[in-house]
Amino acid sequence: MKNHSVEKYKNKIIDYLIPIILSLVIATVLIWTELTTRSGLTLDDTAFHFHRFYDTYQQIQNHNFSYFQMNYGMGESGRIVNALYGPFFAYLMGGLLLFCSSWLRFQILITYLIFLVGGLGIYRLSRKVKLSQVVSSIVTTLFLTTGYIAYWPRSNAFNSWGAVLIPFVLIQGINLLNNHKKRFSWISLGIVMAIVAQIHLLSTFFSILALIPFFIYGLVLSENKRQMWIDVFKAVGLFIVLTANVWGAFLLLYPTNQMASPIDYSPVLTAVNLSVAGTSTMWTSITEVTLLLFIVQLIYVIFNFKSSKLNTFVTLEGIVFLYLSSNLFPWQFVKDILPAVTGYLQFPNRFTVVAYPLLFLGIGLTLNELIKNHGKKLGMIASALAVVVLFNVRADFNEINNMINENYHGIRDNVIEMREKGLIPYIKKLQINTGNSPDYLPLHDNISSGDVPGKLRDILQRKSQFRKKVLLGGHLQLTWNENETKLTTLPIFLYSQSELKVNNKRVNPRVSEIGMPIVKAKKGENKAILAFKTPIWFITLFCISIITWIIILLYGGINLFKYFKETMISS
């Protein structure tokens, strides 16, 4: 009995080591050139997110917190971003920055982290549906080398973080599907969805879309439909409490401010091109072998739909999401009748974060069925299809390698600063680039988001004449000198909840199209102090969210301790 327990314990350790080792190896291969040349990449989204994390890093380091107003990052402008974009995760990343002496180390660290989370998630999902360790490893490798996860090292696009969380969401989907066998945990469902919302809000939308078919199917199979509805509403309630800080911020800002949306992109140009196979699995392209693998999987399911209802279900749902992500879907028609998709959805290829894990899970189920029904020889032949991994790794490695070796502005110029110890030189150099993104700026005079970057760059070029200092309580102070009494545009942003004092007098100034205050400055030295007035009701919501997370973490920690204690005793 004791030997059996020891063997079971060893198998569990191996079961966790497999995805960890796979994830580390794949991540190392993909960023090998970055590691060997010590050349960090300044990519399309790098400045935006690194400024977010730098702001929370400085808040933590200086013990001077400002939840809404950004006083350190984003050009020290009082701009609001983190409160609406993965708030708690931003603070977690800021905490990680404390342990990194350079931006290069931080970039490499979070790359490994994203592959580890993704690898563990898809592997646990595979094991959840009874795939063998070998087949689960194949599914894990396919997942990590395809789409948004492999796209992270050459983009720093935050949709990649949504992609690594989807397998955990799908685990909850399997639980919903199997509710007729075992009642699903509404606590787990609520927590997982809340984690997604605290990291990447748009991925919450994709997660809900992914779970709806699982819920409907599970409800059809369930013998106690009323209880299932009750449990789902409990999960929604827990989600609302855990994300009170997120939706509370939207409730505070959006009714009283005209908040800028992200820059519009044509969904027609950013859909995955299924008509012509590409040279990589990233962004709008898909390799020939990956597309072939999906086609073969669909054909298998069509002719064997009775052999595994789960395989049929996940494959068909995956195909639907792949269709939504592709140029085969009538995105031009959708754009014409619903223009908002250009600013909020932006890229239809984002639907692949659900399509790829579902389709790879279906492929894993097919491999399992072939091995079970037709013997290991046929299973080995079928597994040979996984040679697609080699093509994907090669394609994605070449893409990332080309990004490092390519001579364009923003890479070579910033390599030295990324290597340097200390975080300030690099982030200061990137300040002007933060003007490329209009997200959440307070707009006026019906200006469009697309017109914001040019106006930002024009005004922020003059920011050197202002001296900035962060005061206790999260207030931002600006001092500057004028040769005469004149109107001056300050390089900060005013929201309806902002309070501005100029030369010790509270003012309600006229603002520019992008929310910058235009104040009357006197001759000589001038001083302005910007503060954000947070209402009591939001502070209450924030405290409720924090307290609930602490309770959840303590509860989880106690259960984990009990589990390990029982395991050690039994072994």
Side-chain angles (χ1 to χ4, degrees):
M1 185 68 179
K2 185 177 180 180
N3 289 336
H4 176 72
S5 298
V6 171
E7 193 65 28
K8 186 178 179 181
Y9 186 60
K10 286 181 179 178
N11 285 335
K12 285 188 175 181
I13 293 176
I14 292 170
D15 224 24
Y16 276 97
L17 282 177
I18 289 173
I20 290 173
I21 293 169
L22 273 175
S23 302
L24 293 176
V25 169
I26 292 169
T28 301
V29 169
L30 289 177
I31 63 170
W32 183 251
T33 305
E34 185 175 359
L35 290 171
T36 54
T37 62
R38 297 183 67 239
S39 300
L41 288 172
T42 302
L43 304 158
D44 293 340
D45 292 338
T46 305
F48 181 77
H49 293 298
F50 279 18
H51 265 275
R52 294 201 303 122
F53 304 151
Y54 178 74
D55 187 83
T56 55
Y57 154 77
Q58 286 282 18
Q59 289 184 45
I60 296 168
Q61 187 178 55
N62 293 297
H63 310 294
N64 194 356
F65 294 91
S66 176
Y67 186 77
F68 284 95
Q69 183 173 298
M70 298 184 74
N71 298 321
Y72 301 100
M74 297 291 173
E76 303 164 307
S77 61
R79 182 176 176 178
I80 296 173
V81 176
N82 281 335
L84 298 168
Y85 196 130
F88 286 169
F89 188 71
Y91 280 96
L92 177 62
M93 290 293 102
L96 283 179
L97 260 178
L98 289 171
F99 300 98
C100 298
S101 58
S102 72
W103 286 105
L104 175 62
R105 288 185 180 180
F106 179 71
Q107 189 173 63
I108 290 171
L109 173 64
I110 57 177
T111 296
Y112 276 113
L113 188 60
I114 203 169
F115 275 84
L116 278 170
V117 174
L120 285 168
I122 194 68
Y123 189 85
R124 296 322 307 169
L125 173 62
S126 302
R127 297 293 281 160
K128 177 78 177 178
V129 296
K130 311 297 183 185
L131 300 188
S132 68
Q133 288 182 341
V134 173
V135 174
S136 296
S137 300
I138 293 172
V139 172
T140 300
T141 309
L142 286 167
F143 177 70
L144 292 178
T145 56
T146 308
Y148 264 100
I149 298 179
Y151 187 53
W152 169 264
R154 58 154 292 197
S155 71
N156 288 169
F158 233 64
N159 213 64
S160 299
W161 278 100
V164 302
L165 295 173
I166 293 296
F168 294 97
V169 173
L170 295 179
I171 288 173
Q172 300 306 313
I174 298 297
N175 290 337
L176 287 170
L177 198 67
N178 293 331
N179 188 68
H180 64 289
K181 298 178 182 176
K182 181 183 178 183
R183 185 178 167 188
F184 78 91
S185 170
W186 61 269
I187 295 177
S188 296
L189 177 58
I191 291 172
V192 168
M193 294 299 289
I195 290 172
V196 175
Q198 293 286 0
I199 295 177
H200 190 241
L201 193 59
L202 185 60
S203 292
T204 312
F205 168 70
F206 293 122
S207 299
I208 293 170
L209 288 182
L211 287 178
I212 287 173
F214 284 94
F215 170 70
I216 294 172
Y217 195 10
L219 193 64
V220 170
L221 297 175
S222 178
E223 295 179 357
N224 192 344
K225 293 177 174 54
R226 182 174 177 273
Q227 184 61 56
M228 190 171 180
W229 274 109
I230 291 172
D231 288 342
V232 166
F233 280 119
K234 285 180 180 178
V236 171
L238 180 60
F239 169 81
I240 289 173
V241 172
L242 290 172
T243 59
N245 62 309
V246 179
W247 57 262
F250 277 86
L251 217 64
L252 172 64
L253 294 166
Y254 272 75
T256 55
N257 297 277
Q258 183 188 338
M259 307 292 284
S261 64
I263 294 176
D264 293 348
Y265 286 90
S266 170
V268 178
L269 300 177
T270 56
V272 177
N273 192 342
L274 294 184
S275 306
V276 180
T279 57
S280 75
T281 69
M282 302 172 178
W283 194 235
T284 60
S285 66
I286 186 170
T287 59
E288 297 94 332
V289 284
T290 306
L291 189 56
L292 176 63
L293 199 56
F294 290 160
I295 293 171
V296 170
Q297 170 64 13
L298 179 60
I299 292 172
Y300 176 85
V301 163
I302 290 172
F303 285 97
N304 299 274
F305 65 91
K306 290 183 179 180
S307 62
S308 173
K309 291 181 179 179
L310 179 61
N311 193 358
T312 302
F313 178 83
V314 299
T315 300
L316 292 181
E317 185 179 345
I319 290 294
V320 170
F321 275 94
L322 184 63
Y323 173 63
L324 290 173
S325 75
S326 75
N327 59 334
L328 301 181
F329 188 79
W331 281 111
Q332 184 61 53
F333 174 75
V334 174
K335 177 187 174 184
D336 292 340
I337 63 172
L338 197 64
V341 300
T342 62
Y344 290 98
L345 174 64
Q346 290 185 303
F347 320 123
N349 59 61
R350 284 173 162 166
F351 283 103
T352 59
V353 301
V354 178
Y356 288 163
L358 283 171
L359 288 170
F360 289 137
L361 186 64
I363 289 166
L365 288 165
T366 296
L367 291 177
N368 245 31
E369 289 172 25
L370 291 174
I371 293 170
K372 180 181 177 181
N373 298 330
H374 302 286
K376 290 188 177 180
K377 288 186 178 180
L378 183 57
M380 289 175 65
I381 295 172
S383 298
L385 286 172
V387 78
V388 63
V389 172
L390 300 177
F391 287 92
N392 288 352
V393 169
R394 183 198 63 183
D396 295 341
F397 173 80
N398 287 339
E399 286 285 326
I400 296 164
N401 192 51
N402 289 338
M403 290 290 288
I404 294 174
N405 294 325
E406 192 175 314
N407 181 18
Y408 77 94
H409 179 73
I411 291 184
R412 289 190 177 181
D413 289 350
N414 296 321
V415 166
I416 295 174
E417 286 83 1
M418 288 193 80
R419 289 177 187 165
E420 284 181 355
K421 290 185 177 181
L423 304 174
I424 295 178
Y426 177 71
I427 210 71
K428 291 291 185 185
K429 195 169 183 179
L430 285 184
Q431 275 193 4
I432 192 64
N433 292 335
T434 62
N436 291 337
S437 175
D439 305 44
Y440 314 124
L441 285 174
L443 302 186
H444 297 266
D445 302 329
N446 296 318
I447 183 177
S448 69
S449 295
D451 295 330
V452 172
K455 294 182 179 296
L456 267 175
R457 283 191 290 270
D458 289 341
I459 192 67
L460 289 178
Q461 294 211 8
R462 299 193 298 105
K463 66 180 175 24
S464 58
Q465 73 184 75
F466 298 90
R467 301 176 299 279
K468 297 182 180 180
K469 179 182 178 182
V470 184
L471 306 178
L472 289 176
H475 298 175
L476 180 63
Q477 176 181 285
L478 285 76
T479 55
W480 75 100
N481 292 293
E482 297 288 1
N483 295 324
E484 58 182 348
T485 299
K486 60 181 290 190
L487 291 177
T488 301
T489 301
L490 303 182
I492 55 177
F493 300 99
L494 281 187
Y495 296 81
S496 64
Q497 292 80 11
S498 300
E499 182 182 277
L500 182 65
K501 289 183 179 180
V502 177
N503 297 324
N504 298 319
K505 182 180 178 181
R506 183 172 177 178
V507 297
N508 187 23
R510 181 167 64 89
V511 295
S512 70
E513 294 171 302
I514 54 176
M516 288 181 166
I518 303 169
V519 302
K520 186 177 181 180
K522 65 182 182 181
K523 183 179 179 180
E525 185 179 77
N526 292 267
K527 183 184 294 183
I529 297 176
L530 178 68
F532 188 91
K533 295 301 178 182
T534 308
I536 295 295
W537 66 263
F538 178 82
I539 295 173
T540 303
L541 289 178
F542 180 84
C543 291
I544 289 172
S545 179
I546 286 285
I547 292 169
T548 310
W549 276 111
I550 291 172
I551 292 171
I552 292 290
L553 289 171
L554 288 174
Y555 178 74
I558 291 169
N559 283 343
L560 192 63
F561 175 76
K562 287 181 179 178
Y563 170 77
F564 280 116
K565 186 178 179 180
E566 290 172 1
T567 304
M568 293 300 292
I569 292 172
S570 61
S571 59

